[in-house]
Amino acid sequence: MSLPNPYQSYQNNSVQTASPGELTLMLYNGCLKFISQAKQAIHNKNLEENTNLLKAQKIIQELMVTLNMDAPVSQTLMPMYDYIHRRLIEANIQSSVEILGEVEGFVTEFRDTWKEVIQIHRRQQYGQGGRV
């Protein structure tokens, strides 16, 4: 009988108790992690085992599917997500670190902006202590 992994338990608990905004932030962070790992795999010429780009693509797909199209900002986000998704596919086909760098920049901007939105919301809700 194996003991439960405390790190895995913590991660599962974090996801289950996170707000929708925090879940979006986790998706952006996960996407950036997989892009970084994919870049490393390309540098190491370890292309057979590079499933990280597929994971990043799935995260972008999840962001697209869960986008609230009634919100005006969604009309801008959807084409950007679609562009990022297509570029991730191209990066995978071409094993291109350059394309990954471009995509990484976009996802980082989205993540940083989203993090700022969460912080502003928390400050409005709880006062000045709202940090992510």
Side-chain angles (χ1 to χ4, degrees), residues 27 30-35 37-38 49-62 85 88 92:
L27 286 172
C31 188
L32 289 170
K33 177 182 87 169
F34 293 130
I35 289 170
Q37 290 174 350
E49 297 184 29
N50 191 1
T51 60
N52 294 305
L53 284 175
L54 297 176
K55 292 176 183 177
Q57 289 171 36
K58 286 184 185 288
I59 288 173
I60 296 300
Q61 287 172 330
E62 182 66 22
H85 187 259
L88 284 169
N92 202 0

Side-chain angles (χ1 to χ4, degrees), residues 47-117:
L47 306 180
E48 302 84 36
E49 297 184 29
N50 191 1
T51 60
N52 294 305
L53 284 175
L54 297 176
K55 292 176 183 177
Q57 289 171 36
K58 286 184 185 288
I59 288 173
I60 296 300
Q61 287 172 330
E62 182 66 22
L63 289 167
M64 292 170 79
V65 168
T66 59
L67 201 56
N68 176 2
M69 293 310 290
D70 293 333
V73 71
S74 298
Q75 303 305 320
T76 304
L77 283 175
M78 185 58 86
M80 287 299 299
Y81 286 158
D82 184 54
Y83 176 78
I84 289 169
H85 187 259
R86 283 187 286 117
R87 294 297 278 167
L88 284 169
I89 292 169
E90 291 170 12
N92 202 0
I93 292 168
Q94 300 173 21
S95 297
S96 173
V97 175
E98 292 77 20
I99 294 174
L100 289 178
E102 172 195 0
V103 170
E104 188 175 40
F106 286 130
V107 176
T108 299
E109 284 184 43
F110 285 142
R111 190 265 325 264
D112 292 348
T113 301
W114 194 252
K115 188 174 180 179
E116 194 173 316
V117 167

